[in-house]
Structures are given as C-alpha cells and as structure tokens.
C-alpha cells in the first residue's frame, strides 16, 4: 500500500497540520467565539409560537428521526417541553416501514395542537402546510438540511440554510434544538441536571452527524465533555449509564462520542424498525437500573451490527476496486440500515465519494446511501439524477435515497458518466512526519486542541525508525497485534497477519493516528496503525 503526503505536503508538527486542516488560528480553536442567539434566524418566532401554544393549553407532537442527531434533538425538545409543562408526545419514524421524516400518517389525526419537526421537515411541503391550514395546528420546523421547492408554509422555521443570511451554518438538528432550548430557559432558573442533559445531547448529535467542530459546535462539544468528564456533575440516569459504558469520567473525548457512543445509539435503529424509539427512551430514562438495562441491550445490538458490517465490507471493497469517483456498490442482502456504515468505511479506504445500494426490506425497491469526500456534495449528486429517484434528501456530506428497481441500471449508468478519468486507489494519506522521540510531545499538543473531529481532524502521522521492544497478539482470534515501543505502543487492529507477513520486524515505519489509552487508572500513548512495514534505511 502506498503512503502519500496529503496535498503533497507533510508537516513536522501536529500543530501545523491541525491549523492548516481547520483553516483556523490557534486562538480560534482554543477560544472559539460564541454565536449570538440574535443571529439565528427563526429562533424568536419559534419560541413565541411554542409559548403561545402553551398559554392556549395546546398539546404538542415532536417528530424527529431515527439517527443519532434526530433522536438526541427529539430528546432535547422533549426535556424542554417537560420543563415548560407542555403536554407532548414524541415520534421517531420507523426506519424500514415509514422512512425518513414526518409523514401524513404521523399527524393526520392531530388538530388544534403544536407540531414540531426536528432534524426533518424543511422539505415536508403539503404534509405540514395542510396540518396548519386545514387542521388548525401551529407548526414549527427545526431542521439543518438543505431546503428545496417543498418548503412548507408553517408558523416558524429554524434552518440556517433556509435563510442563508451569513450566520453560523454548521449546526445539526440537536445543535439547533439546543439553541432553541437555551433561548427559552434561563440557566439561573433551570435545574443543573437539565442544563447538563441538554448540553451533552447537543454534543452527541453534533459529533454523530459529522458537523465541523468549529464555532458554536466547538463550544458545545468542549463544554459537554467537561461535564461528562466530571463524575460529580448531575445528569439523567440514562445519559450517565451510556457515558459510563464508553469510558470512565476523565477519559472521554470527542472520538469517544464518535466511535463508541454514536454507534451504540445508532445500532438499534439500523437493525430494528422501531429501534430509534427505544434509544429515545434510554436517553430520557431517569432510573439507574432501567438505564443499565437499556445499555446492556444496546451494547449487544451494536456487536451484532459490527458482525454484519464486516461480513459485507470485504465484498464492498472488492466491488470498489478499480472504480473512479463516485464509487457505486450494489450489495444485495445488506440491511438498508447499514448502508451508511458501509459507505463511511469505504470512504476511509478509498478516499472517494461512495454510493452504496441494496434492496429494500420488501424487495420492491432499491435503497441507497451516499457519503461524500470534502469538495463533493452528496445532496447535489442526487439532485442531478432526481428524475430517477422516488425520494431523496440529505446535505453536503451525506444523503439517502430510494429508487424503483427498474431504474437501478439507469441510475448506475448516470453516476458512471459523472466519474473522473482517474481510478481511485487505496493510497494512505498522511499529514505529519514524526520521529519516535517526538511522539510524547505530539500527544500533548493534540490534547491542547481537543475536541478533534470533523473540520479539525486528528492528523495522520508517519513515524519512522520505530524500535519494537515487545510483541503481543490480542483478540479472540489473535488477529490484532500490539507492538510495545519506547514511550508508546502501536495497535494494529486486524493486522497481526500483516506483521507476520513482514517477518515480525523489530524496526519499522508506521502510519496512523495518535491517541491515549485509559485502562485501570493508567494512561498510555498508542498509535492506531493503518499500515506498517519494515524500516527501509
């Protein structure tokens, strides 16, 4: 596998790489300026509608989505409405039988009430317009997706892309719901537990939806991690149980939310029709014993999800080899709830925009998920073939769609015509070149710039001339190798055979990311390896 400098440049420090990749100054990353509520269009109108509904004694219906952002944003509004003493019900659409977003079936019997959609609704068109005009409902849309010609006529809209007025544009649904909640309550009056819950939920949604960790998002995630890492900070039992399952207080980072908590929250909704509703119950749970029960089930479901993904990933990689961008992979039998997971894994392997397709649960249609690399736009990709799609939606980084089976070949052919003239390859891109002696100093620098994630990525490092002191093969199948070095370890998940193939070298070059491992109160530095080979002098 070829290692290639990203953009033809490799930096000598992780600080240089982070500042360049983010496009921000050190001051902007370490001390981000908050966005004023005043600049978030629609916020005041939405708050006024909600308070008017409460004063009129109306009940409310909150309709979210089955992904992490949709569930956390629904939980935020449910907590807000409980605090405001607004009677309400929540709806998380069923992934397989109902699909994304609010539908007529959800609200056809709702009248003279308050309807709030969150993480959906901006393209609901007549569904919400009719609910307002024909059945006397107040309707508020809280969404971060790109609007199209189907924007409904409602009482208030919070969606930065709808107004496009130049404010902060990178909120997810949970981030917008959090801003609405904090606008409507006073931290001096609201219980500390409520404020902490709202903050953590907003952070989880932000990280899970791959929003850039800049500006307000950076503030939200930074503050939330400070709360999550304080074992004495009050929060709901369900949230504390979920966080405890991901690591001890003091060890939680943005990548903990991204790679441990988010998959756990996503898994039930990916495998089961009503799984998202169960996750919402866990987030709102106030009982410790019940919270632990939810977490135990979610961990088991996530393990099932991992096994299913691995079973299809090798097939997907074989199909993707030699293709140009966008890569298109059709995997019959893959659960539609796992399409995005496989697409995300392929992006990491091939550095290309990816479209993964499979059969719908009833076999009558084709479902698909798009994941786009920076510079491409998933939603615009589908805009260009909208005539072949039954329904679609999304944003620049990710999108989903449904098409009739009869249109599968035409859809695939249309995407092939968009391809560049160069085949994608599985070259590994890196940002920084380090020596073994600079690893400790580099880890300290990375910790300064937490949270790291989308928009402020953890740099990929090449470390040369690493001397291996000890070797351990780990895991149930002994397919993971741990190489103990001076001051850090190299961890190669699934790379034991690769190490043996290289005749177990004691001096090597490695490419990967730096992180900290916390175990039994001890913190050590590890390099999570993407590849390694014997050192070439």
């Amino acid at each position: 596998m070829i290692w290639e400098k990203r953009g033809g440049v490799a930096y000598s420090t992780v600080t240089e790489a982070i500042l360049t990749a983010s496009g921000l100054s050190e001051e902007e990353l370490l001390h981000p300026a908050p966005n004023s509520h005043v600049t978030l269009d629609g916020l005041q109108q939405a708050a006024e509608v909600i308070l008017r509904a409460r004063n009129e004694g109306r009940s409310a219906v909150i309709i979210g989505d089955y992904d992490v952002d949709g569930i956390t944003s629904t939980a935020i509004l449910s907590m807000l409405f409980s605090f405001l003493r607004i009677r309400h019900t929540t709806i998380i659409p069923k992934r397989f039988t109902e699909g994304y977003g609010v539908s007529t079936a959800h609200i056809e019997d709702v009248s003279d009430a308050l309807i709030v959609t969150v993480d959906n609704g901006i393209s609901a068109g007549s569904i919400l317009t009719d609910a307002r005009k024909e059945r006397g409902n107040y309707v508020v849309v809280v969404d971060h997706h790109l609007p199209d010609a189907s924007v409904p006529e409602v009482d208030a809209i919070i969606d930065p892309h709808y107004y496009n007025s130049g404010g902060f544009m990178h909120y997810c649904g949970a981030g917008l719901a959090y801003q609405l909640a904090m606008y409507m309550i006073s931290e001096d009056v609201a219980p500390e537990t409520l404020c902490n819950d709202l903050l953590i939920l907003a952070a989880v949604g932000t990280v899970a939806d791959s929003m850039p960790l800049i500006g307000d998002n950076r503030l939200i995630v930074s503050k939330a991690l400070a709360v999550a890492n304080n074992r004495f900070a009050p929060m709901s039992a369900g949230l504390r149980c979920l966080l405890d399952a991901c690591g001890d207080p003091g060890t939680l980072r943005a990548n903990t939310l991204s790679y441990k908590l988010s998959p756990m929250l996503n898994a039930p909704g990916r495998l089961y029709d009503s799984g998202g509703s169960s996750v919402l119950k866990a987030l709102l749970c106030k009982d410790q014993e019940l919270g632990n029960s939810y977490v135990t089930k979610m961990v088991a479901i996530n393990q099932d999800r991992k096994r299913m993904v691995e079973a299809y990933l090798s097939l997907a990689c074989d199909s993707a080899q030699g293709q140009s961008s966008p890569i298109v992979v059709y995997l019959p039998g893959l659960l539609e709830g796992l399409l995005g997971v496989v697409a995300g894994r392929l992006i990491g392997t091939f550095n290309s925009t990816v479209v993964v397709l499979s059969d719908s649960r009833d076999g009558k249609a084709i479902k698909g998920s798009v994941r786009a690399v920076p510079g491409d736009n998933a939603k615009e990709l589908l805009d260009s073939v909208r005539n072949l799609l039954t329904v679609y939606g999304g944003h620049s980084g990710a999108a989903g769609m449904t098409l009739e089976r009869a249109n599968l070949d035409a859809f695939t052919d249309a995407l092939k015509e968009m391809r560049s003239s160069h085949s994608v390859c599985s070259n590994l891109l890196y940002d920084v070149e380090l020596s073994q002696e600079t690893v400790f100093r580099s880890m300290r620098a990375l910790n300064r710039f937490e949270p790291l994630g989308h928009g402020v990525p953890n740099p990929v490092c090449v470390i040369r001339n690493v001397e291996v002191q000890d070797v351990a093969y780990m895991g149930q199948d002994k397919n993971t190798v741990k190489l103990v070095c001076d001051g850090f370890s190299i961890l190669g998940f699934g790379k034991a055979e690769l190490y043996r193939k290289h005749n177990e070298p004691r001096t090597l070059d490695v490419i990967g990311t730096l992180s900290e491992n916390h175990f039994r109160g001890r913190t050590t530095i590890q390099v999570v390896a993407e590849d390694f080979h014997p050192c070439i002098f």
Side-chain angles (χ1 to χ4, degrees), residues 436 466-474 480-492 499 504-508 532:
Q436 183 169 330
V466 179
E467 296 182 2
V468 178
Q469 299 176 345
D470 197 11
V471 180
Y473 294 100
M474 306 163 59
T480 292
V481 62
K482 179 179 180 180
L483 308 176
V484 179
C485 309
D486 184 15
F488 63 95
S489 296
I490 297 171
L491 201 59
Y499 188 64
E504 300 180 311
R506 288 293 173 148
T507 305
L508 49 74
F532 45 69

Side-chain angles (χ1 to χ4, degrees), residues 224-509:
L225 288 171
V227 171
N229 281 311
N230 179 359
R231 66 176 66 252
F232 302 109
M235 67 184 69
S236 294
L239 275 177
R240 177 48 78 190
C241 290
L242 286 163
L243 291 172
D244 286 347
C246 297
D248 295 329
T251 69
L252 305 177
R253 301 287 184 269
N255 68 354
T256 312
L257 305 183
S258 181
Y259 295 109
K260 290 186 177 180
L261 182 56
S262 295
M264 194 192 314
L265 298 178
N266 254 327
R270 292 190 183 280
L271 301 189
Y272 300 101
D273 204 18
S274 301
S277 296
S278 298
V279 175
L280 179 61
K281 292 177 182 177
L283 294 178
L284 297 174
C285 175
K286 299 183 183 301
D287 179 81
Q288 182 80 21
E289 185 176 349
L290 185 58
N292 284 325
S293 176
Y294 280 127
V295 169
T296 299
K297 293 176 182 177
M298 291 164 68
V299 168
I301 292 171
N302 192 39
Q303 291 301 320
D304 291 340
R305 189 269 311 170
K306 289 180 181 179
R307 285 190 287 270
M308 293 180 188
V309 169
E310 291 301 326
Y312 278 92
L313 194 58
S314 60
L315 296 175
C317 288
D318 290 344
S319 179
Q321 290 288 350
Q323 292 193 36
S324 300
S325 184
I327 290 172
V328 183
V329 174
Y330 174 50
L331 300 171
L334 176 64
L335 283 177
E336 58 189 78
L338 300 178
L339 292 169
V341 180
V342 173
R345 293 282 294 273
L346 289 178
I347 271 195
T349 301
F350 292 97
N351 306 306
S352 165
T353 293
V354 174
V355 182
V356 178
L357 305 168
S358 187
D359 306 313
S360 63
R361 182 173 259 194
D362 60 13
K364 297 179 180 179
I366 300 295
K367 296 281 188 173
S369 181
V370 185
R371 293 294 184 272
V373 295
D376 288 352
N377 189 301
K379 171 69 161 45
E380 291 177 0
L381 179 71
L382 296 185
D383 285 340
S384 66
V385 290
R386 65 166 65 90
N387 60 307
L388 297 172
L389 306 177
T390 305
V391 63
Y392 74 99
H395 45 79
S396 60
M401 74 283 192
T402 302
L403 63 150
E404 295 181 2
R405 181 171 293 279
N407 288 336
L408 176 58
D409 290 341
F411 175 78
T412 303
D413 290 342
L415 293 186
K416 287 179 180 178
E417 292 179 4
M418 303 177 194
R419 286 175 172 167
S420 62
S421 59
H422 301 288
S423 295
V424 298
C425 59
S426 52
N427 290 0
L428 295 177
L429 303 180
Y430 66 92
D431 308 287
V432 186
E433 292 182 340
L434 300 176
S435 66
Q436 183 169 330
E437 292 73 28
T438 59
V439 169
F440 179 77
R441 183 166 66 247
S442 298
M443 190 68 246
R444 290 184 63 185
L446 288 177
N447 285 336
R448 286 186 67 229
F449 288 104
E450 280 286 347
L452 298 172
H454 191 70
V456 190
N458 188 355
V460 178
C461 302
V462 166
I463 311 170
R464 303 194 186 278
N465 303 321
V466 179
E467 296 182 2
V468 178
Q469 299 176 345
D470 197 11
V471 180
Y473 294 100
M474 306 163 59
Q476 184 174 357
D477 299 324
K478 302 296 182 184
N479 61 351
T480 292
V481 62
K482 179 179 180 180
L483 308 176
V484 179
C485 309
D486 184 15
F488 63 95
S489 296
I490 297 171
L491 201 59
F493 292 102
K495 290 183 167 49
E497 187 58 35
L498 176 64
Y499 188 64
R500 295 190 188 96
K501 181 180 177 181
H502 288 312
N503 297 317
E504 300 180 311
R506 288 293 173 148
T507 305
L508 49 74
D509 297 340

